[in-house]
């Protein structure tokens, strides 16, 4: 494998990534690490004004949900399961999936149940919160070794020139020094990437190298997207609270009691969902923030299902390749 086989990297000239802010907005996400300063246009090429923005993205999300369903059908075909016809109804597998993942939405006025944490949940949540508080330190030997391990997992046949090298841009970092990109995610975001690479190497490489689907000319940067995902999950699951106040966060704690690495596994699922939404929305580089929000809403829906007891029960878990 050579880094020359990668697709075009995003341009980092005047469009520097912005750090995510942890304050709340209507979607729980303010600014992506990718800027979103651009004009939209409809199918006729007419520029849309600010009032058209919301209608535009509502239509994009509706189209993305339909495309999401098509992606799952295509995935099943790849698994070798033959379907002569697919009937979307209560008796079909696809109908059941749609009923579960799209039919049950978490409304803004939905009452969050009162609950108590078990001793095991308290302990595992405390350990996870301790992980989230560790900043990335480029002078720390352990952190340096984790970066080197990530490079070896991504490009096993390419020797890394150093911890500061232009080669890092091939993985989707902003510049030659990845240490400067961890401000928004801390060390846990590097741990998440490394866990993804080691646990699901085929999925990791497929997304890193953008090997499937009709891709945009300017693709989202893989490593920076990974930092976005770590931060998005922390917000979505309300992990800095003593007890999460969202239904997704409460259900996540139930999963955490069954699987200590639930956060890292959920990260892998979320990365696959981001890429699937990217392809479903036919998105380009400047639309990454909208893709992130759409994937978050889909993930919240799946985490709000009644029969989710482990990460493997999430419908989107089937997107992962071992």
């Amino acid at each position: 494998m050579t880094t020359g086989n990668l697709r075009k990297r995003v341009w980092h000239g005047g469009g520097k990534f912005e750090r995510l802010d942890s304050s709340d907005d209507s979607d729980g996400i303010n600014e992506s690490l990718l800027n979103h300063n651009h004009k939209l246009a409809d199918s006729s090429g007419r520029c849309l004004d600010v009032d058209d923005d919301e209608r535009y993205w509502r239509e994009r999300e509706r189209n993305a949900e339909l495309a999401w369903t098509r992606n799952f059908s295509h995935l099943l075909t790849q698994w070798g399961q033959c379907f002569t016809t697919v009937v979307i109804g209560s008796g079909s597998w696809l109908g059941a999936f749609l009923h579960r993942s799209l039919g049950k939405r978490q409304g803004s006025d939905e009452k969050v149940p009162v609950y108590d944490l078990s001793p095991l949940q308290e302990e595992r949540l405390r350990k996870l919160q301790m992980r989230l508080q560790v900043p990335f330190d480029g002078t720390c030997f352990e952190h340096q070794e984790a970066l080197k391990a990530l490079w070896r997992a991504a490009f096993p046949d390419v020797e890394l020139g150093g911890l500061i090298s232009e080669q890092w841009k091939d993985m989707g970092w902003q510049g030659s020094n990845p240490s400067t990109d961890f401000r928004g995610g801390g060390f846990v975001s590097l741990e998440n990437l490394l866990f993804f690479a080691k646990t699901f190497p085929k999925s990791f490489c497929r997304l890193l190298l953008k090997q499937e689907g009709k891709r945009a000319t300017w693709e989202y940067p893989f490593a920076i997207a990974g930092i976005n995902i770590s931060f998005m999950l922390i917000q979505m699951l309300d992990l800095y609270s003593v007890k999460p106040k969202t239904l997704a966060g409460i259900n996540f704690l139930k999963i955490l009691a069954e699987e200590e690495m639930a956060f890292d596994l959920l990260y892998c699922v979320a990365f696959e969902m981001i890429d699937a939404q990217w392809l479903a929305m036919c998105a380009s580089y400047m639309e990454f923030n909208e893709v992130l929000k759409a994937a978050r809403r889909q993930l919240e829906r799946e985490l709000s299902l009644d029969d989710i007891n482990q990460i493997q029960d999430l419908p989107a878990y089937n997107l992962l390749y071992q």
Side-chain angles (χ1 to χ4, degrees):
M1 179 191 302
T2 63
T3 54
N5 291 332
L6 293 176
R7 297 183 57 82
K8 289 184 178 179
R9 296 191 303 271
V10 295
W11 175 65
H12 303 298
K16 286 290 184 182
F17 303 127
E18 299 295 334
R19 184 181 185 275
L20 281 166
D21 191 295
S22 60
S23 57
D24 292 329
D25 67 357
S26 58
D27 287 299
I29 299 174
N30 289 316
E31 285 294 329
S32 166
L33 293 177
L34 304 178
N35 286 331
H36 187 57
N37 303 319
H38 66 289
K39 292 286 185 180
L40 301 175
D42 61 15
S43 58
S44 65
R46 179 178 66 88
C47 289
L48 302 176
D49 56 29
V50 175
D51 293 334
D52 290 325
D53 243 14
E54 185 177 354
R55 291 193 298 273
Y56 175 88
W57 288 115
R58 280 202 303 266
E59 180 64 27
R60 288 292 296 272
E61 185 179 357
R62 282 195 296 270
N63 292 338
E65 288 183 346
L66 292 175
W68 180 272
T69 302
R70 291 196 296 270
N71 285 348
F72 262 83
S73 299
H74 175 66
L75 180 65
L76 290 175
T77 301
Q78 288 182 322
W79 288 341
Q81 299 185 27
C82 299
F83 289 86
T84 55
T85 59
V86 178
V87 179
I88 300 180
S90 60
S92 69
W93 182 91
L94 188 55
F97 167 75
L98 289 173
H99 173 74
R100 292 174 68 216
S101 63
L102 301 181
K104 182 177 179 180
R105 296 172 181 260
Q106 182 179 349
S108 58
D109 58 348
E110 184 172 350
K111 186 176 180 180
V112 177
V114 178
Y115 68 101
D116 293 317
L117 297 180
S118 69
L120 179 59
Q121 286 175 319
E122 288 182 346
E123 176 64 15
R124 289 188 172 177
L125 177 59
R126 184 187 65 82
K127 287 183 178 180
L128 178 55
Q129 289 173 334
M130 289 178 64
R131 286 179 63 194
L132 304 182
Q133 294 170 10
V134 178
F136 181 84
D137 182 358
T139 66
C140 173
F141 177 77
E142 178 188 358
H143 295 193
Q144 292 175 351
E145 289 302 300
L147 262 181
K148 293 176 183 177
L150 180 63
W151 177 268
R152 289 192 297 269
F155 307 115
D157 300 324
V158 180
E159 183 177 355
L160 177 64
L163 290 175
I164 298 179
S165 169
E166 291 295 311
Q167 290 173 287
W168 288 108
K169 294 180 182 179
D170 292 333
M171 196 186 293
W173 300 100
Q174 289 190 74
S176 60
N177 185 2
S179 298
T180 62
D181 292 330
F182 284 105
R183 291 185 298 272
F187 183 55
V188 71
S189 56
L190 176 54
E191 289 182 311
N192 290 154
L193 279 167
L194 196 52
F195 179 89
F196 189 18
K198 291 181 176 180
T199 310
F200 302 101
K202 290 183 179 179
S203 276
F204 178 85
C205 288
R206 180 168 50 83
L207 299 190
L208 169 66
L209 303 177
K210 309 295 192 301
Q211 290 176 333
E212 290 186 0
K214 184 179 179 181
R215 316 301 308 200
T217 301
W218 297 105
E219 281 288 306
Y220 65 86
F222 178 82
I224 296 298
I227 294 178
N228 271 267
I229 294 168
S230 296
F231 193 86
M232 178 268 287
L233 290 177
I234 294 169
Q235 285 188 307
M236 184 187 79
L237 301 175
D238 198 18
L239 291 179
Y240 283 125
S241 297
V242 177
K243 290 199 308 184
K245 303 177 185 67
T246 65
L247 186 56
I250 293 171
N251 286 344
F252 171 75
L253 289 186
K254 297 177 183 176
I255 298 172
L256 188 62
E258 301 296 327
E259 171 56 69
E260 189 168 9
M261 302 305 294
F263 183 76
D264 301 83
L265 286 168
L266 187 62
Y267 172 89
C268 300
V269 174
F271 217 134
E272 281 282 11
M273 294 179 77
I274 292 290
D275 195 74
Q277 286 285 1
W278 175 269
L279 293 174
M281 295 173 68
C282 299
S284 61
Y285 165 58
M286 298 302 290
E287 296 167 346
F288 181 81
N289 198 36
E290 299 304 324
V291 172
L292 189 69
K293 290 180 180 181
R296 170 177 172 160
R297 287 190 288 269
Q298 179 67 20
L299 189 56
E300 285 176 324
R301 293 171 190 142
E302 295 196 9
L303 279 171
S304 299
L305 300 174
D306 294 330
D307 55 350
I308 302 299
N309 299 308
Q310 54 184 350
I311 297 298
Q312 290 81 355
D313 293 333
L314 295 171
Y317 182 84
N318 294 316
L319 290 170
L320 285 165
Y321 290 64
Q322 293 290 341

